[in-house]
Amino acid sequence: MATRHLVRSVVLQSLYEWDFYHRKKDLTEILERNLKEFAPGIDEPDFAWRTTKGIIEHLPQIDKIIERAAPEWPLEKIAMVERNILRIGLYELLYADKEEVPPKVAINEAIEVAKNYGGPNSIKFINGVLGTVYREMEAEKNENKNG
Protein backbone atom coordinates (compact mmCIF):
# COMPACT_ATOMS: atom_id res chain seq x y z
CA MET A 1 0.00 0.00 0.00
CA ALA A 2 1.44 3.37 -0.99
CA THR A 3 2.43 5.61 1.89
CA ARG A 4 -0.11 8.36 1.23
CA HIS A 5 -2.91 5.85 0.77
CA LEU A 6 -1.98 4.32 4.12
CA VAL A 7 -1.85 7.79 5.68
CA ARG A 8 -5.35 8.57 4.36
CA SER A 9 -6.60 5.32 5.88
CA VAL A 10 -5.09 6.24 9.26
CA VAL A 11 -6.53 9.76 9.03
CA LEU A 12 -9.92 8.20 8.24
CA GLN A 13 -9.69 5.85 11.23
CA SER A 14 -8.73 8.78 13.46
CA LEU A 15 -11.54 11.04 12.22
CA TYR A 16 -13.99 8.17 12.57
CA GLU A 17 -13.00 7.57 16.21
CA TRP A 18 -13.12 11.31 16.95
CA ASP A 19 -16.55 11.57 15.32
CA PHE A 20 -17.77 8.41 17.10
CA TYR A 21 -17.00 9.97 20.48
CA HIS A 22 -18.82 13.17 19.46
CA ARG A 23 -15.51 15.05 19.06
CA LYS A 24 -14.90 14.90 22.80
CA LYS A 25 -11.63 12.96 22.57
CA ASP A 26 -8.37 14.66 21.61
CA LEU A 27 -7.91 14.15 17.86
CA THR A 28 -4.16 14.76 18.16
CA GLU A 29 -3.81 11.86 20.62
CA ILE A 30 -5.99 9.63 18.45
CA LEU A 31 -3.95 10.34 15.30
CA GLU A 32 -0.66 9.93 17.13
CA ARG A 33 -1.73 6.53 18.52
CA ASN A 34 -3.07 5.35 15.15
CA LEU A 35 0.07 6.40 13.28
CA LYS A 36 2.20 4.44 15.75
CA GLU A 37 -0.07 1.41 15.61
CA PHE A 38 -1.06 1.22 11.93
CA ALA A 39 1.71 3.10 10.11
CA PRO A 40 4.95 2.81 12.06
CA GLY A 41 7.92 4.26 10.23
CA ILE A 42 5.99 5.82 7.33
CA ASP A 43 7.92 8.20 5.09
CA GLU A 44 5.59 11.18 5.42
CA PRO A 45 3.98 11.46 8.84
CA ASP A 46 3.72 15.22 8.22
CA PHE A 47 1.23 14.48 5.42
CA ALA A 48 -1.10 12.93 8.03
CA TRP A 49 -0.75 15.90 10.37
CA ARG A 50 -1.17 18.47 7.57
CA THR A 51 -4.25 16.70 6.22
CA THR A 52 -5.89 16.29 9.62
CA LYS A 53 -5.13 19.88 10.66
CA GLY A 54 -6.50 21.17 7.34
CA ILE A 55 -9.71 19.16 7.68
CA ILE A 56 -10.31 20.49 11.19
CA GLU A 57 -9.53 24.08 10.19
CA HIS A 58 -12.01 23.88 7.31
CA LEU A 59 -14.55 21.51 8.89
CA PRO A 60 -17.52 23.93 8.95
CA GLN A 61 -17.00 24.83 5.27
CA ILE A 62 -16.44 21.18 4.28
CA ASP A 63 -19.59 20.04 6.08
CA LYS A 64 -21.63 22.80 4.39
CA ILE A 65 -20.32 21.66 1.01
CA ILE A 66 -21.33 18.06 1.79
CA GLU A 67 -24.82 19.24 2.73
CA ARG A 68 -25.11 21.30 -0.45
CA ALA A 69 -23.72 18.59 -2.75
CA ALA A 70 -25.90 15.85 -1.20
CA PRO A 71 -29.07 17.72 -0.23
CA GLU A 72 -31.13 14.55 0.19
CA TRP A 73 -28.67 13.34 2.84
CA PRO A 74 -28.47 15.41 6.03
CA LEU A 75 -24.94 15.25 7.42
CA GLU A 76 -25.93 13.26 10.52
CA LYS A 77 -27.69 10.66 8.29
CA ILE A 78 -24.58 9.98 6.20
CA ALA A 79 -22.72 6.92 7.50
CA MET A 80 -19.83 8.03 9.69
CA VAL A 81 -17.22 6.37 7.49
CA GLU A 82 -18.59 8.00 4.32
CA ARG A 83 -18.89 11.39 6.02
CA ASN A 84 -15.23 11.26 6.99
CA ILE A 85 -14.06 9.97 3.60
CA LEU A 86 -15.87 12.96 2.08
CA ARG A 87 -14.16 15.28 4.54
CA ILE A 88 -10.75 13.98 3.51
CA GLY A 89 -11.60 14.08 -0.20
CA LEU A 90 -13.10 17.57 -0.06
CA TYR A 91 -10.20 18.92 1.98
CA GLU A 92 -7.76 17.59 -0.62
CA LEU A 93 -9.92 18.75 -3.52
CA LEU A 94 -10.52 22.28 -2.24
CA TYR A 95 -7.82 23.25 0.22
CA ALA A 96 -4.72 21.08 -0.20
CA ASP A 97 -1.80 22.08 -2.38
CA LYS A 98 -2.83 21.15 -5.96
CA GLU A 99 0.81 20.37 -6.78
CA GLU A 100 0.91 17.86 -3.96
CA VAL A 101 -2.57 16.40 -4.52
CA PRO A 102 -4.11 17.12 -7.93
CA PRO A 103 -7.95 17.18 -7.90
CA LYS A 104 -8.37 13.92 -9.79
CA VAL A 105 -5.95 12.19 -7.39
CA ALA A 106 -8.02 13.48 -4.44
CA ILE A 107 -11.17 11.99 -5.98
CA ASN A 108 -9.53 8.68 -6.93
CA GLU A 109 -7.98 8.28 -3.49
CA ALA A 110 -11.31 8.94 -1.76
CA ILE A 111 -12.91 6.27 -3.97
CA GLU A 112 -10.12 3.81 -3.14
CA VAL A 113 -10.55 4.45 0.58
CA ALA A 114 -14.32 3.98 0.15
CA LYS A 115 -13.67 0.61 -1.53
CA ASN A 116 -11.72 -0.51 1.54
CA TYR A 117 -13.89 0.91 4.31
CA GLY A 118 -17.30 1.87 2.96
CA GLY A 119 -20.50 0.00 2.37
CA PRO A 120 -21.90 -1.34 -0.91
CA ASN A 121 -23.08 2.09 -2.14
CA SER A 122 -20.19 4.14 -0.76
CA ILE A 123 -18.17 4.33 -3.95
CA LYS A 124 -21.07 5.68 -5.97
CA PHE A 125 -22.02 8.18 -3.25
CA ILE A 126 -18.46 9.43 -2.68
CA ASN A 127 -17.83 9.70 -6.42
CA GLY A 128 -21.13 11.54 -6.91
CA VAL A 129 -20.48 14.15 -4.23
CA LEU A 130 -16.83 14.74 -5.12
CA GLY A 131 -17.63 14.73 -8.85
CA THR A 132 -20.32 17.37 -8.33
CA VAL A 133 -17.95 19.62 -6.40
CA TYR A 134 -15.18 19.10 -8.96
CA ARG A 135 -17.49 20.03 -11.87
CA GLU A 136 -18.57 23.16 -9.98
CA MET A 137 -14.91 24.08 -9.41
CA GLU A 138 -14.11 23.63 -13.09
CA ALA A 139 -17.18 25.64 -14.18
CA GLU A 140 -16.21 28.46 -11.81
CA LYS A 141 -12.62 28.39 -13.07
CA ASN A 142 -13.86 28.63 -16.68
CA GLU A 143 -16.23 31.48 -15.81
CA ASN A 144 -13.38 33.39 -14.18
CA LYS A 145 -11.21 32.85 -17.28
CA ASN A 146 -13.94 34.01 -19.65
CA GLY A 147 -15.46 36.65 -17.39
Side-chain angles (χ1 to χ4, degrees):
M1 183 182 291
T3 299
R4 288 196 173 179
H5 184 74
L6 175 59
V7 166
R8 287 179 183 95
S9 296
V10 172
V11 169
L12 172 64
Q13 291 168 328
S14 301
L15 288 171
Y16 184 96
E17 181 177 339
W18 183 65
D19 212 3
F20 182 82
Y21 289 107
H22 308 286
R23 303 180 190 172
K24 290 183 179 18
K25 283 191 160 193
D26 183 350
L27 182 56
T28 302
E29 287 177 16
I30 295 169
L31 181 60
E32 201 169 286
R33 183 191 69 235
N34 287 340
L35 283 170
K36 282 181 189 165
E37 186 173 339
F38 301 112
I42 57 168
D43 298 343
E44 299 181 90
D46 56 316
F47 182 72
W49 292 106
R50 212 171 35 252
T51 300
T52 303
K53 183 177 185 277
I55 291 166
I56 299 312
E57 285 175 358
H58 297 285
L59 192 60
Q61 300 95 313
I62 290 169
D63 284 354
K64 281 185 182 136
I65 291 165
I66 294 170
E67 290 171 339
R68 187 180 44 73
E72 65 283 356
W73 286 95
L75 199 60
E76 66 278 356
K77 298 290 184 195
I78 297 172
M80 207 178 305
V81 72
E82 291 173 350
R83 184 168 59 227
N84 286 297
I85 291 169
L86 284 171
R87 287 172 173 158
I88 294 167
L90 286 168
Y91 165 73
E92 289 190 326
L93 189 60
L94 299 169
Y95 301 105
D97 178 354
K98 304 292 182 259
E99 296 293 315
E100 186 175 43
V101 183
K104 290 187 179 179
V105 170
I107 294 169
N108 287 337
E109 280 296 319
I111 290 167
E112 287 303 313
V113 172
K115 284 179 186 176
N116 292 330
Y117 297 99
N121 298 318
S122 294
I123 298 164
K124 200 169 160 182
F125 181 66
I126 299 293
N127 189 40
V129 172
L130 295 179
T132 296
V133 173
Y134 177 72
R135 285 188 295 280
E136 289 171 357
M137 286 171 48
E138 290 298 300
E140 190 175 307
K141 194 164 57 173
N142 289 335
E143 281 178 27
N144 290 340
K145 262 191 223 173
N146 300 329

